Amino acid sequence: MASSSSNLISLKTSDGTVFKVERALAKTMKTVQAIIEEADANIYMIPIHNVFSHHMDMIIDYYKLSVAGKSKEFSVEKLDNDELKDFLLAVHYLNMEDLFEVLTQAVADRLEKKSVGYVRKYFGIENDFTPEEYAAIRKKNDWAFKGDDIEPEEDEEKQEE
Amino acid sequence: MCLNSFLQIYTTQDTLYRTEQQQHSTPIPATRSSELMGIRFSISSSQPSKPSLGELPESCVAVIMEYMDPPQICKLASLNRAFRAASSADFVWESKLPPNYHLIIRKIFDVSFPSHLEKRGIYSRLCSLNTFDGGTKKVWLDRSMGKLCLSISAKGLSITYIDDRRYWNHIPTEESTFSSVAYLQQIWWFEVDGEVEFPFPAGTYSLFFRIHLGKASKRFGRRVCNTEHVHGWDIKPVRFQLWTSDGQYVASQCFLKGPGKWRYYHAGDFVVEDGNVSTKVKFSMTQIDCTHTKGGLCLDSVFVYPSEFRKVKEFLN
């Protein structure tokens, strides 16, 4: 039997808050959509792991703006790098294509023209290479910085992971 | 699109529980965001100890890199393994290659072009100065923007009276990407023609003649410029013309000046609508007023650059 408010879907975030969202918004979350479609019984509440209520607030903001044709007004400038990364991971988990593109573009913009040292420091990325691997990757990518009068490297085998 | 997570749904009286078993991601090439696989998360929903971009899965990083320029992608490949793996994703480099790169490869490489190259390798290969047409032409992609550039050596041009050594000589040089330049001692009829047929990617291109008034040489390791034969260029301007096979035509004229330095003289622009067909471009530079002689000029080559380079590259202004 369909629940009385069948055009609303209940989503429960990791911090225990329940959001009732329109079906249309839930449809933009491919992860949630897959859960709904696979369920035999009617779903009353869908827990969404790794998504917090402040993420849902922003997701709902974005949805409202894009429905009004103003998705370009959505901004993540106020988020620091860690918050942006968390939000990106949440949206990635929910598999929301449009918002994912917006956030990856935002991260790319923050990384643009920054040196490796800066990116490593401000985004907290640890170097997990061995010294040999590090030297090899620097050498392999040298061509991108050289002038035009350089011979191409022979392509090596795809690196083993 | 598929998800690498398995759902087991239990129903009790009123609430629905779901447990998720997640597959650990195996090392796979990153794919486009709509086909994301191998989502890597800690199972517990408690706060991670110190969140960082370093925990982004490879597939996320690859999508981020799609928005970067090639030098940045290569730089950040040295951050960590996920970034390195993402930096070699085919779809990232496919977006940087010109859309018609298959045609370009076919035009400039013979069967020896390795077919197993990943897209990054193709990009890298196309960025070097690739010689074709019997060594008279070079073509390359600009490394940071992936835009096509082309040059035609003096030996690939039709220079009127080139065989008459009273007028013209090919002289060796270190100041060109080709091994020699054409030096004009003195002439009445100055005419240089040329043509090129190439699958230019769609866009607008500018054609330049790279010219040096005076003859440069090295004496005791220092560059010396001999301008004793430079004359006649200030009397009348030279005339440039450009034609394309689809009917574009542009003509202009200007005075050559500023001896002692290589200069790029802009001959005109042309537009390529469709990168799937070869565009044929003819061009000429003339000064055929026979009331005066002119000479002392070195002609290196003709360059074709994307027009947007005129704003960005100092040497083209």
Side-chain angles (χ1 to χ4, degrees), chain A residues 57-97:
Chain A
D57 288 334
M58 289 192 281
I59 288 170
I60 290 168
D61 278 347
Y62 177 77
Y63 176 72
K64 285 187 184 154
L65 283 172
S66 50
V67 161
K70 295 182 185 170
S71 49
K72 293 236 189 301
E73 290 180 19
F74 183 74
S75 161
V76 288
E77 264 174 45
K78 57 187 186 314
L79 296 180
D80 69 26
N81 293 330
D82 288 336
E83 289 166 342
L84 177 57
K85 172 238 139 197
D86 269 356
F87 189 30
L88 174 63
L89 286 174
V91 169
H92 181 214
Y93 167 75
L94 291 172
N95 205 345
M96 307 179 68
E97 233 175 273

mmCIF file of all heavy atoms in Angstrom, chain A residues 57-97:
data_model
loop_
_atom_site.group_PDB
_atom_site.id
_atom_site.type_symbol
_atom_site.label_atom_id
_atom_site.label_comp_id
_atom_site.label_asym_id
_atom_site.label_seq_id
_atom_site.Cartn_x
_atom_site.Cartn_y
_atom_site.Cartn_z
ATOM 1 N N ASP A 57 21.187 19.941 3.368
ATOM 2 C CA ASP A 57 20.740 21.336 3.243
ATOM 3 C C ASP A 57 21.235 21.926 1.926
ATOM 4 O O ASP A 57 20.488 22.581 1.198
ATOM 5 C CB ASP A 57 21.300 22.177 4.406
ATOM 6 C CG ASP A 57 20.603 21.849 5.721
ATOM 7 O OD1 ASP A 57 19.442 21.390 5.671
ATOM 8 O OD2 ASP A 57 21.214 22.067 6.786
ATOM 9 N N MET A 58 22.514 21.687 1.632
ATOM 10 C CA MET A 58 23.084 22.274 0.406
ATOM 11 C C MET A 58 22.500 21.610 -0.845
ATOM 12 O O MET A 58 22.281 22.270 -1.871
ATOM 13 C CB MET A 58 24.615 22.119 0.423
ATOM 14 C CG MET A 58 25.281 23.032 1.442
ATOM 15 S SD MET A 58 27.067 23.114 1.238
ATOM 16 C CE MET A 58 27.584 21.578 2.020
ATOM 17 N N ILE A 59 22.256 20.305 -0.726
ATOM 18 C CA ILE A 59 21.674 19.601 -1.873
ATOM 19 C C ILE A 59 20.298 20.165 -2.178
ATOM 20 O O ILE A 59 19.938 20.393 -3.344
ATOM 21 C CB ILE A 59 21.610 18.085 -1.594
ATOM 22 C CG1 ILE A 59 23.022 17.498 -1.643
ATOM 23 C CG2 ILE A 59 20.701 17.372 -2.579
ATOM 24 C CD1 ILE A 59 23.106 16.065 -1.148
ATOM 25 N N ILE A 60 19.537 20.414 -1.119
ATOM 26 C CA ILE A 60 18.194 20.961 -1.321
ATOM 27 C C ILE A 60 18.286 22.380 -1.886
ATOM 28 O O ILE A 60 17.525 22.752 -2.790
ATOM 29 C CB ILE A 60 17.400 20.909 -0.004
ATOM 30 C CG1 ILE A 60 17.073 19.440 0.324
ATOM 31 C CG2 ILE A 60 16.124 21.725 -0.092
ATOM 32 C CD1 ILE A 60 16.539 19.223 1.717
ATOM 33 N N ASP A 61 19.254 23.161 -1.388
ATOM 34 C CA ASP A 61 19.465 24.510 -1.952
ATOM 35 C C ASP A 61 19.713 24.434 -3.453
ATOM 36 O O ASP A 61 19.137 25.181 -4.250
ATOM 37 C CB ASP A 61 20.699 25.160 -1.312
ATOM 38 C CG ASP A 61 20.355 25.787 0.031
ATOM 39 O OD1 ASP A 61 19.145 25.921 0.329
ATOM 40 O OD2 ASP A 61 21.291 26.141 0.774
ATOM 41 N N TYR A 62 20.631 23.544 -3.821
ATOM 42 C CA TYR A 62 20.992 23.418 -5.243
ATOM 43 C C TYR A 62 19.771 23.007 -6.062
ATOM 44 O O TYR A 62 19.523 23.512 -7.154
ATOM 45 C CB TYR A 62 22.124 22.409 -5.424
ATOM 46 C CG TYR A 62 22.485 22.187 -6.880
ATOM 47 C CD1 TYR A 62 23.257 23.131 -7.576
ATOM 48 C CD2 TYR A 62 22.044 21.065 -7.569
ATOM 49 C CE1 TYR A 62 23.561 22.947 -8.917
ATOM 50 C CE2 TYR A 62 22.359 20.885 -8.909
ATOM 51 C CZ TYR A 62 23.116 21.821 -9.576
ATOM 52 O OH TYR A 62 23.418 21.642 -10.897
ATOM 53 N N TYR A 63 19.001 22.066 -5.511
ATOM 54 C CA TYR A 63 17.831 21.573 -6.241
ATOM 55 C C TYR A 63 16.841 22.703 -6.478
ATOM 56 O O TYR A 63 16.330 22.888 -7.584
ATOM 57 C CB TYR A 63 17.197 20.427 -5.457
ATOM 58 C CG TYR A 63 15.924 19.912 -6.078
ATOM 59 C CD1 TYR A 63 15.953 19.178 -7.254
ATOM 60 C CD2 TYR A 63 14.683 20.184 -5.502
ATOM 61 C CE1 TYR A 63 14.789 18.718 -7.840
ATOM 62 C CE2 TYR A 63 13.521 19.725 -6.086
ATOM 63 C CZ TYR A 63 13.569 19.001 -7.244
ATOM 64 O OH TYR A 63 12.425 18.547 -7.828
ATOM 65 N N LYS A 64 16.608 23.492 -5.429
ATOM 66 C CA LYS A 64 15.639 24.590 -5.571
ATOM 67 C C LYS A 64 16.122 25.585 -6.622
ATOM 68 O O LYS A 64 15.342 26.079 -7.426
ATOM 69 C CB LYS A 64 15.470 25.316 -4.231
ATOM 70 C CG LYS A 64 14.647 24.557 -3.218
ATOM 71 C CD LYS A 64 14.387 25.424 -1.991
ATOM 72 C CE LYS A 64 13.636 24.625 -0.933
ATOM 73 N NZ LYS A 64 13.883 25.147 0.418
ATOM 74 N N LEU A 65 17.430 25.878 -6.605
ATOM 75 C CA LEU A 65 17.959 26.834 -7.586
ATOM 76 C C LEU A 65 17.859 26.283 -8.994
ATOM 77 O O LEU A 65 17.504 27.001 -9.935
ATOM 78 C CB LEU A 65 19.425 27.169 -7.263
ATOM 79 C CG LEU A 65 19.658 28.144 -6.115
ATOM 80 C CD1 LEU A 65 21.143 28.227 -5.792
ATOM 81 C CD2 LEU A 65 19.118 29.519 -6.459
ATOM 82 N N SER A 66 18.154 24.982 -9.153
ATOM 83 C CA SER A 66 18.151 24.474 -10.535
ATOM 84 C C SER A 66 16.733 24.343 -11.063
ATOM 85 O O SER A 66 16.504 24.541 -12.251
ATOM 86 C CB SER A 66 18.917 23.159 -10.661
ATOM 87 O OG SER A 66 18.504 22.256 -9.706
ATOM 88 N N VAL A 67 15.769 24.059 -10.184
ATOM 89 C CA VAL A 67 14.371 24.012 -10.626
ATOM 90 C C VAL A 67 13.935 25.396 -11.099
ATOM 91 O O VAL A 67 13.171 25.530 -12.054
ATOM 92 C CB VAL A 67 13.469 23.499 -9.479
ATOM 93 C CG1 VAL A 67 12.032 23.868 -9.718
ATOM 94 C CG2 VAL A 67 13.611 21.993 -9.328
ATOM 95 N N ALA A 68 14.463 26.448 -10.420
ATOM 96 C CA ALA A 68 14.116 27.818 -10.816
ATOM 97 C C ALA A 68 15.001 28.313 -11.950
ATOM 98 O O ALA A 68 14.933 29.487 -12.303
ATOM 99 C CB ALA A 68 14.267 28.739 -9.596
ATOM 100 N N GLY A 69 15.830 27.440 -12.507
ATOM 101 C CA GLY A 69 16.692 27.836 -13.628
ATOM 102 C C GLY A 69 17.860 28.698 -13.188
ATOM 103 O O GLY A 69 18.490 29.382 -13.999
ATOM 104 N N LYS A 70 18.190 28.658 -11.893
ATOM 105 C CA LYS A 70 19.255 29.543 -11.411
ATOM 106 C C LYS A 70 20.430 28.733 -10.860
ATOM 107 O O LYS A 70 21.077 29.150 -9.912
ATOM 108 C CB LYS A 70 18.705 30.430 -10.277
ATOM 109 C CG LYS A 70 17.624 31.412 -10.702
ATOM 110 C CD LYS A 70 17.208 32.244 -9.500
ATOM 111 C CE LYS A 70 16.053 33.153 -9.866
ATOM 112 N NZ LYS A 70 15.483 33.800 -8.673
ATOM 113 N N SER A 71 20.682 27.585 -11.452
ATOM 114 C CA SER A 71 21.727 26.734 -10.867
ATOM 115 C C SER A 71 23.090 27.418 -10.871
ATOM 116 O O SER A 71 23.953 27.092 -10.062
ATOM 117 C CB SER A 71 21.800 25.395 -11.592
ATOM 118 O OG SER A 71 21.856 25.584 -12.982
ATOM 119 N N LYS A 72 23.291 28.396 -11.745
ATOM 120 C CA LYS A 72 24.582 29.091 -11.772
ATOM 121 C C LYS A 72 24.803 29.923 -10.511
ATOM 122 O O LYS A 72 25.918 30.343 -10.219
ATOM 123 C CB LYS A 72 24.664 30.008 -13.001
ATOM 124 C CG LYS A 72 24.701 29.278 -14.332
ATOM 125 C CD LYS A 72 25.929 29.686 -15.140
ATOM 126 C CE LYS A 72 25.925 29.169 -16.553
ATOM 127 N NZ LYS A 72 25.867 27.775 -16.792
ATOM 128 N N GLU A 73 23.724 30.191 -9.783
ATOM 129 C CA GLU A 73 23.876 30.992 -8.562
ATOM 130 C C GLU A 73 24.373 30.162 -7.391
ATOM 131 O O GLU A 73 24.704 30.704 -6.349
ATOM 132 C CB GLU A 73 22.533 31.640 -8.193
ATOM 133 C CG GLU A 73 22.129 32.740 -9.158
ATOM 134 C CD GLU A 73 20.797 33.362 -8.758
ATOM 135 O OE1 GLU A 73 20.391 33.215 -7.592
ATOM 136 O OE2 GLU A 73 20.170 33.981 -9.630
ATOM 137 N N PHE A 74 24.394 28.860 -7.548
ATOM 138 C CA PHE A 74 24.838 28.007 -6.456
ATOM 139 C C PHE A 74 26.335 28.161 -6.283
ATOM 140 O O PHE A 74 27.093 28.074 -7.237
ATOM 141 C CB PHE A 74 24.482 26.553 -6.776
ATOM 142 C CG PHE A 74 24.843 25.600 -5.683
ATOM 143 C CD1 PHE A 74 24.081 25.548 -4.515
ATOM 144 C CD2 PHE A 74 25.928 24.757 -5.805
ATOM 145 C CE1 PHE A 74 24.403 24.670 -3.496
ATOM 146 C CE2 PHE A 74 26.261 23.878 -4.796
ATOM 147 C CZ PHE A 74 25.502 23.829 -3.633
ATOM 148 N N SER A 75 26.757 28.388 -5.050
ATOM 149 C CA SER A 75 28.184 28.609 -4.825
ATOM 150 C C SER A 75 28.665 27.826 -3.615
ATOM 151 O O SER A 75 27.941 27.694 -2.616
ATOM 152 C CB SER A 75 28.444 30.107 -4.607
ATOM 153 O OG SER A 75 29.679 30.292 -3.983
ATOM 154 N N VAL A 76 29.863 27.299 -3.705
ATOM 155 C CA VAL A 76 30.448 26.589 -2.567
ATOM 156 C C VAL A 76 31.653 27.353 -2.031
ATOM 157 O O VAL A 76 32.479 26.794 -1.323
ATOM 158 C CB VAL A 76 30.853 25.146 -2.944
ATOM 159 C CG1 VAL A 76 29.634 24.289 -3.136
ATOM 160 C CG2 VAL A 76 31.730 25.136 -4.170
ATOM 161 N N GLU A 77 31.725 28.643 -2.375
ATOM 162 C CA GLU A 77 32.883 29.441 -1.956
ATOM 163 C C GLU A 77 33.082 29.434 -0.455
ATOM 164 O O GLU A 77 34.200 29.473 0.024
ATOM 165 C CB GLU A 77 32.691 30.887 -2.435
ATOM 166 C CG GLU A 77 33.382 31.156 -3.752
ATOM 167 C CD GLU A 77 33.050 32.541 -4.262
ATOM 168 O OE1 GLU A 77 33.091 33.479 -3.449
ATOM 169 O OE2 GLU A 77 32.742 32.660 -5.457
ATOM 170 N N LYS A 78 31.979 29.430 0.285
ATOM 171 C CA LYS A 78 32.088 29.547 1.746
ATOM 172 C C LYS A 78 32.620 28.274 2.390
ATOM 173 O O LYS A 78 32.996 28.274 3.552
ATOM 174 C CB LYS A 78 30.734 29.929 2.345
ATOM 175 C CG LYS A 78 29.641 28.944 1.981
ATOM 176 C CD LYS A 78 28.280 29.438 2.449
ATOM 177 C CE LYS A 78 27.158 28.440 2.260
ATOM 178 N NZ LYS A 78 27.093 27.760 0.960
ATOM 179 N N LEU A 79 32.682 27.185 1.633
ATOM 180 C CA LEU A 79 33.173 25.937 2.207
ATOM 181 C C LEU A 79 34.692 25.936 2.183
ATOM 182 O O LEU A 79 35.303 26.354 1.207
ATOM 183 C CB LEU A 79 32.677 24.745 1.380
ATOM 184 C CG LEU A 79 31.175 24.506 1.323
ATOM 185 C CD1 LEU A 79 30.885 23.288 0.458
ATOM 186 C CD2 LEU A 79 30.596 24.310 2.708
ATOM 187 N N ASP A 80 35.311 25.461 3.274
ATOM 188 C CA ASP A 80 36.759 25.308 3.193
ATOM 189 C C ASP A 80 37.070 24.013 2.449
ATOM 190 O O ASP A 80 36.179 23.257 2.071
ATOM 191 C CB ASP A 80 37.415 25.386 4.577
ATOM 192 C CG ASP A 80 37.082 24.190 5.469
ATOM 193 O OD1 ASP A 80 36.771 23.089 4.947
ATOM 194 O OD2 ASP A 80 37.130 24.348 6.696
ATOM 195 N N ASN A 81 38.360 23.757 2.259
ATOM 196 C CA ASN A 81 38.743 22.629 1.396
ATOM 197 C C ASN A 81 38.232 21.302 1.921
ATOM 198 O O ASN A 81 37.764 20.451 1.177
ATOM 199 C CB ASN A 81 40.264 22.572 1.243
ATOM 200 C CG ASN A 81 40.785 23.758 0.475
ATOM 201 O OD1 ASN A 81 40.101 24.295 -0.365
ATOM 202 N ND2 ASN A 81 42.003 24.177 0.778
ATOM 203 N N ASP A 82 38.320 21.108 3.252
ATOM 204 C CA ASP A 82 37.850 19.847 3.822
ATOM 205 C C ASP A 82 36.341 19.700 3.654
ATOM 206 O O ASP A 82 35.842 18.619 3.338
ATOM 207 C CB ASP A 82 38.209 19.777 5.310
ATOM 208 C CG ASP A 82 39.701 19.558 5.519
ATOM 209 O OD1 ASP A 82 40.347 19.032 4.592
ATOM 210 O OD2 ASP A 82 40.201 19.900 6.595
ATOM 211 N N GLU A 83 35.621 20.801 3.885
ATOM 212 C CA GLU A 83 34.155 20.737 3.762
ATOM 213 C C GLU A 83 33.764 20.454 2.316
ATOM 214 O O GLU A 83 32.824 19.692 2.046
ATOM 215 C CB GLU A 83 33.540 22.068 4.217
ATOM 216 C CG GLU A 83 33.645 22.289 5.729
ATOM 217 C CD GLU A 83 33.359 23.740 6.117
ATOM 218 O OE1 GLU A 83 33.421 24.634 5.231
ATOM 219 O OE2 GLU A 83 33.096 23.977 7.300
ATOM 220 N N LEU A 84 34.511 21.081 1.395
ATOM 221 C CA LEU A 84 34.201 20.866 -0.019
ATOM 222 C C LEU A 84 34.445 19.412 -0.389
ATOM 223 O O LEU A 84 33.644 18.778 -1.083
ATOM 224 C CB LEU A 84 35.059 21.798 -0.890
ATOM 225 C CG LEU A 84 34.907 21.648 -2.404
ATOM 226 C CD1 LEU A 84 33.462 21.829 -2.852
ATOM 227 C CD2 LEU A 84 35.797 22.658 -3.125
ATOM 228 N N LYS A 85 35.547 18.880 0.128
ATOM 229 C CA LYS A 85 35.861 17.486 -0.178
ATOM 230 C C LYS A 85 34.800 16.548 0.398
ATOM 231 O O LYS A 85 34.345 15.625 -0.254
ATOM 232 C CB LYS A 85 37.249 17.156 0.372
ATOM 233 C CG LYS A 85 37.613 15.688 0.295
ATOM 234 C CD LYS A 85 37.930 15.153 1.661
ATOM 235 C CE LYS A 85 37.347 13.795 1.868
ATOM 236 N NZ LYS A 85 37.303 13.433 3.294
ATOM 237 N N ASP A 86 34.371 16.800 1.616
ATOM 238 C CA ASP A 86 33.332 15.973 2.234
ATOM 239 C C ASP A 86 32.046 16.027 1.420
ATOM 240 O O ASP A 86 31.381 15.010 1.216
ATOM 241 C CB ASP A 86 33.021 16.481 3.643
ATOM 242 C CG ASP A 86 33.889 15.797 4.682
ATOM 243 O OD1 ASP A 86 34.649 14.891 4.290
ATOM 244 O OD2 ASP A 86 33.800 16.171 5.852
ATOM 245 N N PHE A 87 31.707 17.234 0.997
ATOM 246 C CA PHE A 87 30.478 17.411 0.228
ATOM 247 C C PHE A 87 30.591 16.678 -1.103
ATOM 248 O O PHE A 87 29.663 15.999 -1.557
ATOM 249 C CB PHE A 87 30.218 18.912 0.027
ATOM 250 C CG PHE A 87 28.876 19.235 -0.571
ATOM 251 C CD1 PHE A 87 27.778 18.425 -0.355
ATOM 252 C CD2 PHE A 87 28.701 20.375 -1.349
ATOM 253 C CE1 PHE A 87 26.535 18.719 -0.907
ATOM 254 C CE2 PHE A 87 27.460 20.684 -1.906
ATOM 255 C CZ PHE A 87 26.377 19.847 -1.694
ATOM 256 N N LEU A 88 31.766 16.785 -1.723
ATOM 257 C CA LEU A 88 31.979 16.105 -2.990
ATOM 258 C C LEU A 88 31.809 14.596 -2.814
ATOM 259 O O LEU A 88 31.176 13.916 -3.620
ATOM 260 C CB LEU A 88 33.381 16.428 -3.513
ATOM 261 C CG LEU A 88 33.841 15.688 -4.772
ATOM 262 C CD1 LEU A 88 32.951 16.034 -5.956
ATOM 263 C CD2 LEU A 88 35.286 16.050 -5.110
ATOM 264 N N LEU A 89 32.376 14.069 -1.735
ATOM 265 C CA LEU A 89 32.258 12.632 -1.494
ATOM 266 C C LEU A 89 30.803 12.230 -1.253
ATOM 267 O O LEU A 89 30.366 11.174 -1.698
ATOM 268 C CB LEU A 89 33.130 12.225 -0.309
ATOM 269 C CG LEU A 89 34.641 12.202 -0.595
ATOM 270 C CD1 LEU A 89 35.423 11.940 0.672
ATOM 271 C CD2 LEU A 89 34.972 11.162 -1.641
ATOM 272 N N ALA A 90 30.059 13.081 -0.544
ATOM 273 C CA ALA A 90 28.649 12.757 -0.287
ATOM 274 C C ALA A 90 27.871 12.712 -1.602
ATOM 275 O O ALA A 90 27.075 11.798 -1.848
ATOM 276 C CB ALA A 90 28.050 13.803 0.663
ATOM 277 N N VAL A 91 28.118 13.725 -2.437
ATOM 278 C CA VAL A 91 27.398 13.799 -3.712
ATOM 279 C C VAL A 91 27.838 12.655 -4.634
ATOM 280 O O VAL A 91 27.041 12.105 -5.395
ATOM 281 C CB VAL A 91 27.646 15.179 -4.356
ATOM 282 C CG1 VAL A 91 27.160 15.226 -5.788
ATOM 283 C CG2 VAL A 91 26.982 16.266 -3.532
ATOM 284 N N HIS A 92 29.101 12.309 -4.538
ATOM 285 C CA HIS A 92 29.630 11.178 -5.301
ATOM 286 C C HIS A 92 28.915 9.897 -4.884
ATOM 287 O O HIS A 92 28.495 9.090 -5.708
ATOM 288 C CB HIS A 92 31.135 11.093 -5.027
ATOM 289 C CG HIS A 92 31.833 9.984 -5.749
ATOM 290 N ND1 HIS A 92 32.893 9.306 -5.220
ATOM 291 C CD2 HIS A 92 31.626 9.427 -6.963
ATOM 292 C CE1 HIS A 92 33.309 8.392 -6.069
ATOM 293 N NE2 HIS A 92 32.576 8.447 -7.135
ATOM 294 N N TYR A 93 28.762 9.715 -3.578
ATOM 295 C CA TYR A 93 28.078 8.530 -3.050
ATOM 296 C C TYR A 93 26.638 8.479 -3.532
ATOM 297 O O TYR A 93 26.138 7.434 -3.936
ATOM 298 C CB TYR A 93 28.137 8.547 -1.521
ATOM 299 C CG TYR A 93 27.213 7.542 -0.890
ATOM 300 C CD1 TYR A 93 27.520 6.188 -0.896
ATOM 301 C CD2 TYR A 93 26.010 7.937 -0.308
ATOM 302 C CE1 TYR A 93 26.655 5.267 -0.333
ATOM 303 C CE2 TYR A 93 25.145 7.016 0.258
ATOM 304 C CZ TYR A 93 25.474 5.688 0.236
ATOM 305 O OH TYR A 93 24.618 4.774 0.776
ATOM 306 N N LEU A 94 25.970 9.624 -3.484
ATOM 307 C CA LEU A 94 24.575 9.654 -3.907
ATOM 308 C C LEU A 94 24.430 9.571 -5.421
ATOM 309 O O LEU A 94 23.338 9.385 -5.930
ATOM 310 C CB LEU A 94 23.901 10.942 -3.414
ATOM 311 C CG LEU A 94 23.699 11.056 -1.907
ATOM 312 C CD1 LEU A 94 23.209 12.457 -1.539
ATOM 313 C CD2 LEU A 94 22.690 10.014 -1.416
ATOM 314 N N ASN A 95 25.567 9.727 -6.122
ATOM 315 C CA ASN A 95 25.573 9.634 -7.583
ATOM 316 C C ASN A 95 24.614 10.649 -8.208
ATOM 317 O O ASN A 95 23.663 10.302 -8.907
ATOM 318 C CB ASN A 95 25.230 8.209 -8.020
ATOM 319 C CG ASN A 95 25.796 7.908 -9.406
ATOM 320 O OD1 ASN A 95 26.187 8.805 -10.140
ATOM 321 N ND2 ASN A 95 25.817 6.637 -9.762
ATOM 322 N N MET A 96 24.912 11.917 -7.933
ATOM 323 C CA MET A 96 24.100 13.016 -8.480
ATOM 324 C C MET A 96 24.946 13.709 -9.546
ATOM 325 O O MET A 96 25.861 14.462 -9.234
ATOM 326 C CB MET A 96 23.765 14.027 -7.375
ATOM 327 C CG MET A 96 23.126 13.396 -6.149
ATOM 328 S SD MET A 96 22.768 14.630 -4.870
ATOM 329 C CE MET A 96 21.480 15.576 -5.652
ATOM 330 N N GLU A 97 24.609 13.439 -10.799
ATOM 331 C CA GLU A 97 25.514 13.845 -11.881
ATOM 332 C C GLU A 97 25.772 15.342 -11.962
ATOM 333 O O GLU A 97 26.922 15.783 -12.025
ATOM 334 C CB GLU A 97 24.940 13.362 -13.213
ATOM 335 C CG GLU A 97 25.942 12.558 -14.005
ATOM 336 C CD GLU A 97 25.347 11.970 -15.272
ATOM 337 O OE1 GLU A 97 24.783 10.871 -15.193
ATOM 338 O OE2 GLU A 97 25.447 12.642 -16.313
#
